[in-house]
Amino acid sequence: MKRGTSRDIRTANRYEVLRQIIAASPTSRQELAAATGLSLATVATLVGELLDLRMITEVGFEDSAGGRPRGLVAVNASGGALIGVDIAETYVHVELFDLALNVLARAEENMRPGESRPQQVVSHVAAAAGSVVAQAGVEAARVLGVGVSVPGQVDRATGISEYAPNWDWHDVPLLDLLSEHIAYPLYLDNPLRAGAVAELWFGAARGHGDAVVVNLGTGVGAGLVLGGGLHRGVSNSAGEWGHTTLVLDGRPCRCGNRGCVEAYVGAPGIMQNLSELFPHSPLLHADDQTATIDALAVAVAADDPAAVQVVRETARYLGAGIANLINVLNPEVVVLSSWVAARLGEPLLKEVREAVARHALQRPLAAGRIVVSPIPSDPACLGAATFALEGALQSVGQRHVRRTGVGARSRTASAG
Amino acid sequence: MKRGTSRDIRTANRYEVLRQIIAASPTSRQELAAATGLSLATVATLVGELLDLRMITEVGFEDSAGGRPRGLVAVNASGGALIGVDIAETYVHVELFDLALNVLARAEENMRPGESRPQQVVSHVAAAAGSVVAQAGVEAARVLGVGVSVPGQVDRATGISEYAPNWDWHDVPLLDLLSEHIAYPLYLDNPLRAGAVAELWFGAARGHGDAVVVNLGTGVGAGLVLGGGLHRGVSNSAGEWGHTTLVLDGRPCRCGNRGCVEAYVGAPGIMQNLSELFPHSPLLHADDQTATIDALAVAVAADDPAAVQVVRETARYLGAGIANLINVLNPEVVVLSSWVAARLGEPLLKEVREAVARHALQRPLAAGRIVVSPIPSDPACLGAATFALEGALQSVGQRHVRRTGVGARSRTASAG
DNA sequence: CCGACTTTATAAAGCCCCTTTCCTAACCCC
DNA sequence: GGGGTTAGGAAAGGGGCTTTATAAAGTCGG
């Protein structure tokens, strides 16, 4: 059982202050103190640290109404760059961000079916990472780190992909493999947690102690924010909500079980909902999840009754599953994220809210809002980049090596 | 979003040290330091505090093998008394504990059907509390506090029972009502959290950062230990696992929904499992849950095939529900608690383990043990008493009131 | 029997964190 | 240009934990 130290408080506060600055840039120390609940003095020293790191800059003064004007600080967007890598079953997305987390460059590599060897994946990542750096024209030295999101169970401390069901990987030392091609500090985690961190820093979970980020894609899962931080579980595999049973002895799921949430609300599950209700629907694009979901989204927007019914049926399952999360965890906010949620958007949200209201208990229901993720781009990329940002921030708090002589080496950057 | 302060660290360490002393009494400072990971100096000061409070005493020395012998400390069982109150639908249990959390006296009051007014419940509690103090013959001054567990949603800070479904209470200021009859410091919470705290301090969750305490009684729920502490949720209603959907559109539940876990694995649900499989079973005692479960337990122990089948059927549901918790939360241990679990014991556990293994994912399954609570008595009473113990410990860390003059009042104990 | 060695417990000092308080800086208004 | 007002920094203070030094209390061997 890990004990917390006073340094953890500092780290959390540093995160909080930077989050606030990114969210409301430019801002003043006063506003930061009010928003974070920290004292002015603490905010000032933390702002000082961030200024020293060149992560933020002073950008002038607020107009005064009869006193010394407030100094304003803003993110120093060009003070560094972060790379987020989203490795998925069929593609690798890489995005390069400035420190305000704007996307400066994107690259995408598609993986052919059968490309499942770690080395193949790694070379795609390396190529795309090289590409975004070149595109954006940032100097290598300004890249603070690379966050990598890979599906499955991941041990972030060792950088090992313990288990990736897509490719049947077992204990692949992904970080080591990547570090042969990529010289920047690397951080590894999975898309569920990346999505959760993205929402926590920049999305709908900002400022909330307890939040659930529901990931609706081909696979389904939930990133858990509990007590203001990510909940990882004892073996790094918390959040496998997609494989919780919703319909005992129900529809078979690719995990081998029956009646899992994912079997009903993942993209393939939605396709099945569609084909069961309307076997000959023109919306159905066999073997193409993306096209089918897109078609469904368009049809729903046009009030196509069949599409509406499919969304309602899907929301019936999704709502019950989300109600389960709400009843158990009692979060402040539930965020619907990933590409299926983004495309189906408001119509799905509306139906989901109604379905959740039918299943959840009054008190937890009343306490929790349900929203669609406000993050415009790939949340796994953004979240992965955020891990890199956290890593860069972490190194500030590192204990300084006591210099033993004139020629003492400066401390080395730790990656991962 | 609450920020942590360095005082919270102190409080957590104080809890940890006392937990360890209670668990392994007598013990030495050295052992404590090793067990908690704290430095000797910190352990020594914390032990000093506890000695000052007379919660522990020095009880001699360990035999030395060539050095100064280790001083041994042990719980000072007679240094104080704690009262735990378990208010349930049909009864009020009250137990009085010494500081080693041994039961010194018990009292039980049964509530007649229809006795649902807060004042009626309060008078039962007051009577029973008076009784245990008299039975045990402890002086009033030595009672450090009274913990009260009441079903439903509870706001422990204000002492209000926000919602109790049994009696349709809404926002009953229970702590205020109780304080008119009981002079000791009072602490209010619900049985789910009481059970979790009991396991965390004295039971199967001790030393684990992430644990789930599954409560199987008439009602069903889960107490969540996450990150080493209780997870309450944003509106104090986390843990309502009993009302998560396991069989969409399944059996009706008393919450108004269908297919809830509770409808299959709560005592009434088990009775229904029995009556559906064997409508004329002699095990079935209509309208008497306790008798039926008892009969079932006896029959299972005697390898009665019908009883075995009922337990297996129950475990099928329970296992799926527990697998859901394991997949989402990835805990280190799942504890089966409360009276149904205690009576059905090993036979149920065996079937549950098999059922969980069929539903849970490999990684989280492998990481989590499933056990029956080792706590012999009513875990809600013990947990409630533990809240009182935590409260008594809390007051040590209280900021000292700055004395404004010679006649300054000493600080007042805050209750709740 | 007494000194040497070992081990424990306490005291002191150091470092980290946050807050409160005081003081100077900077601006508006009259 | 002074007075009032607000911002920001420096210093002091209160907690916490750890490392290091010192005192205490044993065993062991000569």
Side-chain angles (χ1 to χ4, degrees):
Chain A
M1 200 149 91
K2 247 189 58 193
R3 287 184 311 104
T5 110
S6 70
R7 204 178 240 111
D8 297 335
I9 297 175
R10 183 67 152 189
T11 300
N13 289 341
R14 210 189 334 260
Y15 286 177
E16 194 57 41
V17 167
L18 183 57
R19 265 199 278 261
Q20 196 65 34
I21 295 175
I22 293 175
S25 206
T27 184
S28 63
R29 291 170 182 78
Q30 311 288 325
E31 280 177 1
L32 289 170
T36 59
L38 292 164
S39 74
L40 239 10
T42 301
V43 168
T45 59
L46 287 170
V47 165
E49 279 181 18
L50 294 172
L51 285 168
D52 286 347
L53 283 173
R54 309 216 184 287
M55 284 191 164
I56 62 176
T57 47
E58 290 179 288
V59 292
F61 297 89
E62 229 176 27
D63 282 347
S64 155
R68 175 172 172 173
R70 298 176 172 180
L72 294 174
V73 293
V75 179
N76 178 20
S78 58
L82 301 161
I83 296 177
V85 177
D86 175 19
I87 303 177
E89 200 166 343
T90 58
Y91 60 83
V92 172
H93 277 174
V94 176
E95 296 183 346
L96 186 140
F97 300 87
D98 65 19
L99 285 187
L101 278 299
N102 301 309
V103 179
L104 297 184
R106 270 183 239 275
E108 179 170 352
E109 303 250 325
N110 288 306
M111 285 193 285
R112 288 179 296 281
E115 275 196 303
S116 68
R117 289 201 351 258
Q119 280 297 354
Q120 295 172 312
V121 172
V122 164
S123 63
H124 279 298
V125 172
S131 162
V132 290
V133 173
Q135 275 179 61
V138 302
E139 316 154 36
R142 284 197 8 237
V143 176
L144 298 178
V146 180
V148 179
S149 154
V150 68
Q153 257 93 70
V154 171
D155 184 347
R156 74 184 334 247
T158 59
I160 289 174
S161 164
E162 297 180 331
Y163 175 57
N166 306 339
W167 307 297
D168 200 37
W169 286 0
H170 293 270
D171 295 315
V172 172
L174 198 57
L175 218 54
D176 289 344
L177 297 176
L178 282 166
S179 66
E180 291 171 14
H181 298 80
I182 296 177
Y184 316 115
L186 287 160
Y187 305 87
L188 191 69
D189 220 315
N190 81 11
L192 259 32
R193 293 195 284 265
V197 158
E199 297 295 337
L200 184 59
W201 275 76
F202 312 109
R206 204 172 58 222
H208 297 292
D210 297 314
V212 174
V213 180
V214 168
N215 231 277
L216 296 176
T218 306
V220 168
L224 270 30
V225 175
L226 300 172
L230 229 45
H231 176 72
R232 301 199 136 83
V234 68
S235 63
N236 273 301
S237 46
E240 291 293 350
W241 169 72
H243 300 289
T244 59
T245 303
L246 184 62
V247 186
L248 198 66
D249 301 323
R251 202 181 268 183
C253 175
R254 59 174 179 160
C255 74
N257 243 303
R258 304 180 74 91
C260 294
V261 169
E262 181 173 302
Y264 297 89
V265 307
I270 297 175
M271 284 178 70
Q272 191 171 342
N273 296 343
L274 171 59
S275 71
E276 283 181 5
L277 287 168
F278 307 100
H280 307 296
S281 168
L283 301 173
L284 205 54
H285 296 64
D287 293 335
D288 191 340
Q289 299 169 18
T290 320
T292 306
I293 299 294
D294 277 340
L296 194 59
V298 171
V300 160
D303 272 332
D304 174 78
V308 167
Q309 196 178 333
V310 171
V311 168
R312 183 164 298 157
E313 178 71 0
T314 301
R316 195 166 75 88
Y317 296 108
L318 184 53
I322 290 177
N324 286 355
L325 288 172
I326 289 179
N327 282 349
V328 170
L329 296 174
N330 184 208
E332 257 175 297
V333 60
V334 175
V335 186
L336 267 37
S337 172
S338 203
W339 63 273
V340 172
R343 312 219 179 176
L344 262 22
E346 281 301 321
L348 178 68
L349 182 61
K350 180 172 156 290
E351 296 289 342
V352 165
R353 283 189 177 136
E354 289 177 14
V356 169
R358 288 197 299 273
H359 284 95
L361 296 175
Q362 284 306 313
R363 298 267 156 168
L365 174 66
R369 289 161 41 241
I370 304 174
V371 301
V372 170
S373 168
I375 294 172
S377 62
D378 182 338
C381 275
L382 179 58
T386 308
F387 283 125
L389 178 58
E390 288 188 349
L393 234 43
Q394 198 81 272
S395 64
V396 191
Q398 223 83 302
R399 173 179 289 284
H400 292 253
V401 173
R402 188 154 328 164
R403 41 183 70 234
T404 53
V406 179
R409 307 282 293 273
S410 68
R411 73 184 122 92
T412 56
S414 81
Chain B
M1 200 151 94
K2 245 189 60 190
R3 287 182 312 102
T5 110
S6 71
R7 209 180 232 105
D8 297 334
I9 298 175
R10 181 67 154 188
T11 301
N13 289 342
R14 210 189 332 260
Y15 286 178
E16 194 58 41
V17 167
L18 183 56
R19 265 198 278 262
Q20 196 66 34
I21 294 175
I22 293 175
S25 205
T27 185
S28 64
R29 292 170 181 78
Q30 311 289 324
E31 280 178 2
L32 289 170
T36 59
L38 292 163
S39 73
L40 237 12
T42 302
V43 168
T45 60
L46 288 169
V47 166
E49 279 181 19
L50 294 172
L51 284 168
D52 287 348
L53 284 173
R54 309 216 183 291
M55 284 191 163
I56 62 177
T57 47
E58 291 179 288
V59 293
F61 298 89
E62 230 176 26
D63 282 348
S64 154
R68 175 173 172 172
R70 299 177 171 178
L72 294 173
V73 293
V75 179
N76 178 20
S78 57
L82 301 162
I83 296 176
V85 178
D86 175 17
I87 302 176
E89 200 166 341
T90 56
Y91 62 81
V92 172
H93 276 172
V94 176
E95 296 183 346
L96 187 140
F97 300 86
D98 65 19
L99 285 187
L101 278 298
N102 301 309
V103 179
L104 298 184
R106 272 182 236 275
E108 179 169 353
E109 302 251 325
N110 288 307
M111 285 192 286
R112 287 178 298 281
E115 274 196 303
S116 69
R117 292 206 345 263
Q119 280 298 356
Q120 295 173 311
V121 172
V122 164
S123 63
H124 279 300
V125 172
S131 162
V132 289
V133 173
Q135 274 179 59
V138 303
E139 316 154 38
R142 284 193 13 232
V143 176
L144 298 178
V146 179
V148 179
S149 155
V150 67
Q153 257 94 70
V154 171
D155 184 347
R156 75 187 328 250
T158 59
I160 289 174
S161 164
E162 298 180 331
Y163 174 57
N166 305 340
W167 306 298
D168 200 37
W169 287 0
H170 293 269
D171 295 314
V172 172
L174 197 59
L175 218 55
D176 288 345
L177 297 176
L178 281 166
S179 66
E180 290 170 15
H181 297 80
I182 297 177
Y184 316 116
L186 286 160
Y187 305 88
L188 191 69
D189 219 314
N190 81 11
L192 258 33
R193 293 196 285 265
V197 158
E199 296 296 336
L200 184 60
W201 274 75
F202 313 109
R206 202 172 60 220
H208 296 291
D210 298 314
V212 174
V213 179
V214 168
N215 231 279
L216 297 176
T218 305
V220 168
L224 270 30
V225 174
L226 299 173
L230 229 45
H231 176 72
R232 301 200 135 82
V234 67
S235 62
N236 273 303
S237 47
E240 291 294 348
W241 168 72
H243 300 288
T244 59
T245 303
L246 184 62
V247 186
L248 197 68
D249 302 323
R251 198 181 271 182
C253 176
R254 59 173 178 161
C255 74
N257 242 302
R258 304 180 73 90
C260 294
V261 169
E262 182 173 302
Y264 297 89
V265 308
I270 297 175
M271 284 177 71
Q272 191 172 342
N273 296 343
L274 171 59
S275 71
E276 283 181 4
L277 287 168
F278 306 100
H280 308 297
S281 168
L283 301 173
L284 205 55
H285 296 64
D287 295 333
D288 191 339
Q289 298 169 19
T290 318
T292 306
I293 300 292
D294 277 340
L296 194 60
V298 169
V300 159
D303 272 330
D304 175 79
V308 168
Q309 195 177 334
V310 171
V311 167
R312 184 165 298 155
E313 177 73 359
T314 301
R316 195 167 74 88
Y317 296 108
L318 184 53
I322 290 176
N324 286 355
L325 288 171
I326 289 178
N327 282 347
V328 169
L329 295 174
N330 186 207
E332 255 174 297
V333 62
V334 176
V335 186
L336 267 38
S337 172
S338 202
W339 64 272
V340 172
R343 310 217 181 178
L344 261 23
E346 280 302 320
L348 178 68
L349 181 62
K350 179 173 157 289
E351 296 289 341
V352 165
R353 282 189 177 137
E354 289 177 14
V356 169
R358 288 196 299 272
H359 285 95
L361 296 176
Q362 283 306 313
R363 298 268 157 168
L365 174 66
R369 288 162 41 240
I370 304 173
V371 300
V372 170
S373 169
I375 294 173
S377 62
D378 182 339
C381 277
L382 179 58
T386 308
F387 284 125
L389 178 58
E390 287 188 351
L393 234 43
Q394 198 84 270
S395 64
V396 190
Q398 222 84 304
R399 172 178 290 283
H400 292 252
V401 174
R402 191 159 322 169
R403 41 182 70 234
T404 54
V406 178
R409 310 281 293 272
S410 67
R411 72 185 123 93
T412 55
S414 80

